[in-house]
Amino acid sequence: MEINRIGLLTSGGDAPGMNAAIRAVVRTACANKIETLGIRRGYNGLINGDVTELGHRDVKGLNNAGGTILYTARSPEYNTEEGVQKAAKTCKYLGIDAIVCVGGDGTFRGARDLAKLGVPSIGIPATIDNDIACTNYCIGFDTACNTAIEAIDKLRDTMHSHERCSLVEVMGHHAGHLAVYVGIAVGANAILVPERTYDFQSDIADKIRRSRIQGRTHFDIIVAEGVGDIQEIAAHIKEETGLDPRVTILGHIQRGGAPTARDRVTAARMGRHAVETLIAGRYNRVVSIQHGDLQDFDIDEALTMKKGLQETMYDTARILSIG
Ligand code: F6P
């Protein structure tokens, strides 16, 4: 099948670098004389026909812009059979030959449902959680890490002055990749992730006690949001150690900001690969980076793959945090 017009959407939690991916998809399409229809507000846009033509100039200067010019949304209606059928009808009505969807695993499940109704698709992994199993790296992760690191470095100044314990919650509801990378980068005393249960005494209290014996008077603990109630952890630390913990929930600041070089270049590479994969007649794939090389996986296979914590990274964090 010849690809003459593609639909492009962003879906799920936004990520810095999504705009760079949009630019790369549109520019690669233009280079191959393919039209691009931007679909606003994720799969809602497909259901409602909320589209805009995207030409070469419409994506000028996007590389340094966080967020997504196509907006994003989670679409309850698209989770229904009727919703997917409406979306497929929109594609046919608008003459869309294939869909490029930028987002996380929920986005790719949506693409798979569309593919089942005969609309070829390809996914580009973009989520600050970096939890898409078929790829080593997702667009947005590096920028989110650096945003969190910059904030925690600032927190450290005041925690040092007041000799306090800082508990920082980073994003990552089901995945602790952000917490581990940020924890290693800031030299945290302890890192709590949803993939691992923790023992308060050995994983937190004893580490604080050992650091105190080494003469340290301020402490950094990184907690992924999926671990649980960070205020409860703080209260337990206060009760157990007599410290006066301060809690900072970084929240959605981790989802914004100008993308780093890594995210801009990754987005450019993945965006180009996505369009050229469609042109090659390879449909219903998810673009992936494995050890620096671009690949793509069948979407059904990609959605069955599981991604746990990188043991080596988690062990590094643990070993280096031993006071
Ligand atoms: O999936 C990315 C993510 O930022 C998660 O880390 C976080 O738990 C979730 O999105 C927040 O979703 P929302 O923006 O809808 O509050």
Side-chain angles (χ1 to χ4, degrees):
M1 176 182 76
E2 194 177 341
I3 304 284
N4 296 303
R5 178 178 290 165
I6 58 176
L8 171 59
L9 63 85
T10 52
S11 168
D14 70 331
M18 277 187 165
N19 276 328
I22 289 168
R23 176 178 178 276
V25 168
V26 173
R27 290 286 170 94
T28 306
C30 289
N32 289 279
K33 302 196 179 354
I34 294 171
E35 293 174 6
T36 304
L37 276 184
I39 298 154
R40 298 189 189 96
R41 300 175 180 86
Y43 290 104
N44 284 334
L46 263 187
I47 291 172
N48 304 320
D50 185 0
V51 300
T52 177
E53 287 193 9
L54 289 177
H56 198 274
R57 297 184 58 76
D58 297 311
V59 294
K60 186 166 58 72
L62 277 187
N63 268 7
N64 65 347
T68 163
I69 60 167
L70 291 175
Y71 308 103
T72 179
R74 294 182 168 92
S75 172
E77 187 179 0
Y78 190 75
N79 292 333
T80 66
E81 205 171 309
E82 296 72 26
V84 181
Q85 284 166 358
K86 279 185 192 172
K89 281 200 184 93
T90 304
C91 290
K92 291 188 174 34
Y93 174 74
L94 294 173
I96 290 174
D97 300 314
I99 290 280
V100 178
C101 49
V102 185
D105 51 9
T107 305
F108 304 150
R109 282 194 291 275
R112 178 192 55 193
D113 294 343
L114 209 48
K116 284 177 183 166
L117 295 185
V119 181
S121 64
I122 190 153
I124 295 176
T127 168
I128 68 166
D129 291 358
N130 199 33
D131 59 349
I132 303 301
C134 71
T135 182
N136 294 156
Y137 189 79
C138 297
I139 295 165
F141 180 65
D142 186 54
T143 305
C145 283
N146 283 291
T147 298
I149 289 162
E150 191 180 337
I152 295 165
D153 284 351
K154 288 185 171 71
L155 280 169
R156 172 165 289 174
D157 294 343
T158 177
M159 296 302 155
H160 180 269
S161 306
H162 290 266
E163 299 180 294
R164 280 175 170 157
C165 175
S166 168
L167 276 86
V168 179
E169 183 186 278
V170 296
M171 280 191 155
H173 210 64
H174 305 293
H177 306 292
L178 202 55
V180 170
Y181 265 71
V182 170
I184 290 172
V186 300
N189 295 92
I191 303 168
L192 306 182
V193 294
E195 297 92 337
R196 293 279 188 291
T197 54
Y198 69 92
D199 174 78
F200 179 81
Q201 287 301 333
S202 57
D203 293 324
I204 298 177
D206 288 349
K207 287 188 173 182
I208 291 174
R209 292 186 188 105
R210 276 203 301 274
S211 291
R212 271 175 150 172
I213 292 165
Q214 307 279 343
R216 190 158 171 175
T217 59
H218 70 280
F219 311 91
D220 297 300
I221 297 173
I222 308 297
V223 183
E225 65 179 321
V227 166
D229 186 337
I230 193 167
Q231 300 291 356
E232 279 180 16
I233 299 170
H236 200 170
I237 289 172
K238 183 166 187 168
E239 180 192 325
E240 188 72 23
T241 67
L243 285 168
D244 183 15
R246 286 294 185 274
V247 171
T248 304
I249 297 176
L250 293 181
H252 285 67
I253 193 173
Q254 298 160 96
R255 290 254 291 271
T260 58
R262 182 174 186 185
D263 281 328
R264 299 183 199 196
V265 174
T266 302
R269 295 179 67 204
M270 286 187 164
R272 174 189 171 193
H273 187 84
V275 175
E276 292 180 350
T277 301
L278 289 173
I279 293 168
R282 293 156 50 80
Y283 306 136
N284 311 328
R285 316 286 295 174
V286 176
V287 176
S288 153
I289 282 194
Q290 295 281 339
H291 312 300
D293 295 329
L294 278 169
Q295 294 184 23
D296 48 82
F297 283 77
D298 170 76
I299 203 162
D300 287 312
E301 181 189 358
L303 286 169
T304 56
M305 294 165 80
K306 295 283 175 255
K307 184 177 197 177
L309 278 183
Q310 282 178 287
E311 288 303 331
T312 52
M313 295 301 287
Y314 192 71
D315 287 342
T316 299
R318 185 176 51 76
I319 291 162
L320 299 188
S321 68
I322 293 171

